[in-house]
Amino acid sequence: MGALFSVFSAAYYIPKLYFGSVPATFSVRGAESLKVTERVTLRDFVQLRCPSLLKEFRPAWWLHSGHLQTAYCVVGDFSKIDRVEYDRKLLRTLDGGTIGIDFTPPAQELTLKDDTPVIVVLHGLTGGSHESYVRSILAPACTPVEQGGLGYRGIVVNFRGCAGVPLTSPQLYSALNTDDIRVAVMYIAKLFPKAPLIGVGFSLGANVLTRYLAEEGEKSRLLAGCALACPWDLVASSDHLQNHFFHRHVYSSGMAQNLQKVVARHMESLSKFPDSAAWKAVQAASAKKDMSLVEFDDTVTRVCGGASPPFPFPSAYDYYAAASSHNVLGGIRVPFLALNSDDDPIVSHFPAGVTDNGWVVLGLTKGGGHLGWFEAGKGVGELERWIRKPVLEWIRAIGEHLIPEGERGHPTHEVDGFFKQVGRDDIGYQEIEGGGHVVGVEGEGGLLAGL
C-alpha cells in the first residue's frame, strides 16, 4: 500500500505537458550519433532530450506555497551563487532610444567559436542581466564544457531604462512592444551569423518573446524559444491581482513601486522631452503614492510603452488586451517550450487548450510560484532551482541537435549609419559608445528583485 501511494504521489508532482494534436515535425541530429539526421515531432524531441520534464518537481517543504516560493525570489540571498560577468554594448534605435546588450562570457575571459550557440535572454518586469533567475540559467550554460557547463554564449537584452541602461527617448518598454527585441536579434545575428540563436524569456520578457516568435513565424531569427512564467492573458491576471486584497497590496503594489522607481531614476532624462506624452505621464506617476500595477499602466505604460501606433491606448485594459500572448500562440513556427506553475500568485491564466499548434508544448508544474521553482538541495536547508534542469536540457537539445531549415530573418541594409530591416523603415539600430563591464550579481538597489 505504501509503495502504491508513493507511485501516485510521485505522479502528482510530474509536470503536465500539453502538446498540439496535429504534430509539427523538424529535422534533428541523432541522439546516438550527430552524423545521423531524422525527422521528429516536438513530443518525441521533448521526451527523449528533456527527461527532467518527465520526472517530479517537489517544492521544498518549507516553501510549500506559491507565495513562499515567490517571496524567496525577492528576499533570498543569491549574491554568492551563479556569478556571471558581462560585457555591455549599447544600441541606439531609430527613435533615439537605447537598449543594453550584455554578453557573457566577457571577451577577455574566453574566446568562443563563431558557431557557438547563443542564448538570447529577455528579463522580467523591472529586471536585467543581474537577476538571480537569469544567472541561474546562464551560469551553467556559459561555463566551459571542461568545467561541466554547456560552453554556450549568453546575451541578455536589457529593456530601455532597466539595469543601468540610459533612457534617451520618450518611449519606454512594455509587454506588447517587440521591436526592441527585433532589432536586438538583428544585431546579434549580424555579429554571429553562424550561431544558432535560442530565446529564453522570463515573466514579462516571456510575453515579449512569445509575441515576437508569433509575429515572425517562419522568419524568426531565433531557432527556438523557452518562456518561463509567462503572464499570457494580461486582462485575467490584472483582474486577479486587483480583486484579491493580499495580491493587490503585495504583488500589484510591489510591481508598481518598482516601475515608479525605474522611471524616477530617469526623470532628468525625460525632462528633456517636455512636450512628450511620456514626460506628462511619468510626472503624474511620480506624484502618486501606493499605486497598483493597473494604475501605473493606466498612467504610463498605455501611453508610452511603445511606438505610435498602436500606442497610446485608451486604457490599461485596452493595452492588456492587445499585449496578451495566449491568443497568438498559433503563429509560432519554431520549437517552443513554455513552463508555468499552478500556484503562481501573479499569473492566473494558463492557456491549456487555447492552441493546437504542433510547434508548442506547454508545461504546468505543481507548485513553484512566480519564477521560483525551488526544491530542497543536497545539504540541510539548501535550495536549488529545479527549473534550470529542464531549461538547460532544452537549450542543449536545440543547440546541438536541431537542424535549421529555410531562410531565417528578413533581409537588412544600412541606411545613414543604421542597420534596418528591408521593408521596415521605422526600426533599426546602430552600436554606440558606452557600456563596459557588468558584474551580474550587482543588482539595482532599491528595487524588489525577482519580479
Side-chain angles (χ1 to χ4, degrees):
M1 190 68 169
L4 184 63
F5 175 78
S6 178
V7 169
F8 280 109
S9 176
Y12 177 80
Y13 286 103
I14 295 175
K16 293 182 179 179
L17 301 179
Y18 300 84
F19 295 89
S21 62
V22 181
T25 62
F26 46 91
S27 296
V28 298
R29 299 176 181 88
E32 300 297 329
S33 173
L34 297 180
K35 296 180 180 180
V36 177
T37 62
E38 55 187 347
R39 300 287 296 182
V40 299
T41 65
L42 186 59
R43 183 188 295 271
D44 294 335
F45 185 78
V46 168
Q47 290 179 342
L48 181 61
R49 294 174 172 85
C50 301
S52 293
L53 290 175
L54 309 179
K55 301 176 183 178
E56 64 178 42
F57 157 63
R58 288 179 182 260
W61 64 264
W62 60 97
L63 297 178
H64 58 83
S65 74
H67 296 300
L68 292 173
Q69 289 268 333
T70 305
Y72 193 74
C73 289
V74 177
V75 303
D77 181 8
F78 304 98
S79 62
K80 297 178 177 62
I81 61 172
D82 299 328
R83 185 179 179 88
V84 180
E85 299 192 13
Y86 305 91
D87 286 332
R88 173 167 293 181
K89 303 292 184 183
L90 299 179
L91 299 185
R92 178 61 40 81
T93 59
L94 283 177
D95 71 297
T98 304
I99 309 169
I101 312 293
D102 289 354
F103 298 75
T104 193
Q108 74 274 15
E109 184 177 302
L110 190 65
T111 301
L112 301 177
K113 295 181 179 179
D114 292 341
D115 61 352
T116 299
V118 177
I119 307 164
V120 180
V121 176
L122 300 182
H123 59 77
L125 183 65
T126 50
S129 60
H130 59 276
E131 289 284 4
S132 66
Y133 55 78
V134 171
R135 293 185 284 111
S136 74
I137 302 300
L138 291 188
C142 300
T143 296
V145 174
E146 55 270 21
Q147 296 177 26
L150 296 185
Y152 287 7
R153 192 188 314 273
I155 300 180
V156 183
V157 181
N158 297 284
F159 299 142
R160 301 172 182 224
C162 290
V165 177
L167 195 58
T168 54
S169 81
Q171 178 181 314
L172 304 182
Y173 62 95
S174 68
L176 176 61
N177 180 23
T178 57
D179 280 342
D180 283 354
I181 176 60
R182 186 167 285 106
V183 298
V185 173
M186 286 167 53
Y187 169 70
I188 296 166
K190 188 174 185 300
L191 286 179
F192 308 108
K194 298 179 181 179
L197 309 184
I198 307 162
V200 178
F202 300 86
S203 194
L204 180 121
N207 199 84
V208 175
L209 174 65
T210 303
R211 294 193 61 86
Y212 166 81
L213 292 174
E215 291 167 4
E216 293 297 292
E218 295 176 350
K219 288 292 186 180
S220 169
R221 285 188 168 86
L222 298 177
L223 293 186
C226 179
L228 304 175
C230 183
W232 302 117
D233 186 339
L234 302 187
V235 174
S237 290
S238 179
D239 285 342
H240 179 72
L241 290 172
Q242 284 297 107
N243 294 335
H244 295 79
F245 181 86
F246 183 82
H247 292 70
R248 183 170 68 253
H249 288 278
V250 175
Y251 300 112
S252 180
S253 175
M255 290 186 286
Q257 287 178 26
N258 268 10
L259 286 163
Q260 285 181 287
K261 290 175 181 177
V262 168
V263 297
R265 293 173 177 177
H266 300 287
M267 291 293 283
E268 182 178 351
S269 298
L270 287 170
S271 69
K272 298 174 184 178
F273 309 96
D275 297 326
S276 68
W279 173 238
K280 296 178 176 62
V282 298
Q283 282 184 303
S286 66
K288 297 180 180 180
K289 294 183 178 180
D290 302 321
M291 294 184 84
S292 67
L293 181 59
V294 68
E295 289 172 334
F296 180 90
D297 287 336
D298 199 54
T299 304
V300 178
T301 312
R302 67 146 185 111
V303 175
C304 53
S308 176
F311 290 87
F313 287 91
S315 70
Y317 276 91
D318 290 294
Y319 153 64
Y320 292 155
S324 294
S325 56
H326 67 292
N327 50 10
V328 302
L329 283 167
I332 294 176
R333 291 296 180 269
V334 297
F336 181 75
L337 169 66
L339 296 174
N340 289 81
S341 73
D342 68 353
D343 63 356
D344 189 326
I346 294 171
V347 178
S348 63
H349 173 80
F350 180 71
V354 170
T355 182
D356 203 26
N357 187 349
W359 291 101
V360 173
V361 54
L362 305 174
L364 188 66
T365 61
K366 280 290 180 183
H370 189 72
L371 294 176
W373 288 293
F374 294 106
E375 63 181 357
K378 297 177 181 178
V380 177
E382 291 183 355
L383 290 167
E384 295 178 357
R385 266 190 159 112
W386 168 85
I387 196 67
R388 68 197 286 166
K389 291 186 286 188
V391 172
L392 290 172
E393 290 168 354
W394 172 263
I395 290 170
R396 181 176 182 176
I398 297 297
E400 296 183 8
H401 295 280
L402 182 66
I403 300 174
E405 297 176 299
E407 291 291 328
R408 289 289 171 187
H410 300 273
T412 60
H413 58 170
E414 186 174 0
V415 180
D416 298 328
F418 282 86
F419 286 92
K420 298 183 177 182
Q421 179 176 303
V422 175
R424 285 290 308 271
D425 286 336
D426 57 321
I427 62 170
Y429 72 87
Q430 63 177 195
E431 187 177 331
I432 60 174
E433 294 183 355
H437 188 69
V438 176
V439 179
V441 295
E442 296 175 1
E444 290 211 80
L447 295 184
L448 296 175
L451 298 176

